[in-house]
């Protein structure tokens, strides 16, 4: 839907970016990037501030009129990579929906050029000029592992089933509690007592 579209304008409201795109089919689409909530496409016009903040102004300067060439999410982790350029990628815009969230602009070599939030952290630094390192992966890589492997990794722990699945798979609490309820289990059931069949329902 978005690959091949051109950036016509970028707006920022609070910490949320709205990237307006013009596509070859004539459609105008809005990609919303929110460090708190994720990303989505909307047809609704979102109210914008009268003047863009510095972060937004710099993104406009770099990305306006470039083509969106790639858009991917690594291993279902809460990080979105968007590649912009003409024939080849010149910039990566990274949306992190972890912790307090962040939006980071990288050059083609993966070096940080601009960030909504610059931070020094225990496991990595988000500082201009440094090579970008994503946050540590959350939970088990459910894309490459079989269901049986995932269950075995989860059952190596002890404790209540709900928090272990939420942490272990990096899944939203509401989705996990709903799945547990549908399977007929209780969320405070001990994970060691849950048989394989219940896990795969």
């Amino acid at each position: 839907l978005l690959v091949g579209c051109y950036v016509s304008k970028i707006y920022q409201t609070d910490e949320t970016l709205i990237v307006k795109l013009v596509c070859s089919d004539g459609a105008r689409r809005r990609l919303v990037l929110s460090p708190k909530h994720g990303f989505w496409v909307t047809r609704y016009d979102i109210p914008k501030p009268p003047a863009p903040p510095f972060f937004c102004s710099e993104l406009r300067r770099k990305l306006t009129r470039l083509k969106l060439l790639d858009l991917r999410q690594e291993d279902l982790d809460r990080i979105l990579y968007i590649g912009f350029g003409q024939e080849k990628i010149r910039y990566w815009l990274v949306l992190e929906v972890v912790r307090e969230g962040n939006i980071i602009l990288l050059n083609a070599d993966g070096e940080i050029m601009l960030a909504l939030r610059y931070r020094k952290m225990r496991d990595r630094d988000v500082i201009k000029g440094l090579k970008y390192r994503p946050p540590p992966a959350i939970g088990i890589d459910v894309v490459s592992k079989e269901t049986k492997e995932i269950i075995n990794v989860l059952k190596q722990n002890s404790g209540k089933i709900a928090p272990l699945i939420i942490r272990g798979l990096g899944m939203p609490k509401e989705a996990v509690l709903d799945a547990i309820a549908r399977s007929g289990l209780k969320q405070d059931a001990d994970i060691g007592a849950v048989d394989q069949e219940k896990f795969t329902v």
Side-chain angles (χ1 to χ4, degrees):
L1 189 67
L2 301 179
V3 172
C5 299
Y6 288 87
V7 178
S8 67
K9 203 76 169 177
I10 302 173
Y11 297 100
Q12 182 180 345
T13 173
D14 295 324
E15 294 188 340
T16 299
L17 284 184
I18 302 103
V19 182
K20 293 183 78 173
L21 298 160
V22 178
C23 305
S24 56
D25 59 3
R28 294 177 180 272
R29 300 187 171 100
R30 295 177 182 89
L31 173 63
V32 182
L33 304 172
S34 167
K36 290 182 181 176
H37 305 293
F39 57 95
W40 61 94
V41 177
T42 183
R43 58 189 172 88
Y44 295 105
D45 202 8
I46 296 168
K48 309 161 194 73
F54 174 78
F55 179 70
C56 181
S57 296
E58 288 298 295
L59 286 179
R60 282 183 183 181
R61 198 164 61 83
K62 300 285 190 191
L63 303 180
T64 300
R65 290 187 292 279
L66 292 184
K67 190 186 286 189
L68 195 158
L69 296 174
D70 193 9
L71 190 144
R72 54 189 160 90
Q73 190 181 0
E74 296 288 346
D75 299 329
L76 296 184
D77 212 348
R78 290 175 288 176
I79 305 168
L80 178 71
Y81 297 85
I82 311 170
F84 294 95
Q86 293 294 349
E87 298 303 318
K88 59 182 182 179
I89 289 171
R90 289 169 53 189
Y91 303 105
W92 287 100
L93 191 62
V94 182
L95 171 69
E96 298 181 350
V97 194
V98 294
R99 298 173 183 159
E100 75 275 25
N102 209 347
I103 302 174
I104 304 164
L105 182 70
L106 315 177
N107 64 19
D109 295 322
E111 294 166 345
I112 297 168
M113 301 179 68
L114 184 69
L116 185 65
R117 256 187 278 278
Y118 294 101
R119 295 282 307 275
K120 286 197 168 193
M121 294 168 275
R122 181 169 44 86
D123 47 21
R124 67 191 183 113
D125 295 330
V126 178
I127 303 292
K128 188 173 182 177
L130 291 185
K131 198 88 168 174
Y132 173 72
R133 286 175 53 210
I138 296 174
I140 303 161
D141 177 7
V142 295
V143 175
S144 63
K145 292 189 183 297
E146 298 289 331
T147 304
K148 189 173 180 180
E149 288 181 90
I150 295 168
I151 294 167
N152 288 338
V153 172
L154 286 172
K155 292 192 97 173
Q156 288 172 8
N157 300 282
S158 59
K160 295 178 181 178
I161 187 171
L164 286 172
I165 292 176
I166 291 165
R167 281 198 313 273
L169 301 185
M171 294 182 67
K173 180 180 178 181
E174 296 78 11
V176 172
L177 296 183
D178 181 61
I180 289 171
R182 287 170 185 260
S183 70
L185 291 167
K186 291 184 178 177
Q187 57 184 280
D188 61 351
D190 187 273
I191 199 163
V194 180
D195 61 33
Q196 180 109 354
E197 188 180 336
K198 280 288 184 186
F199 260 112
T200 54
V201 168

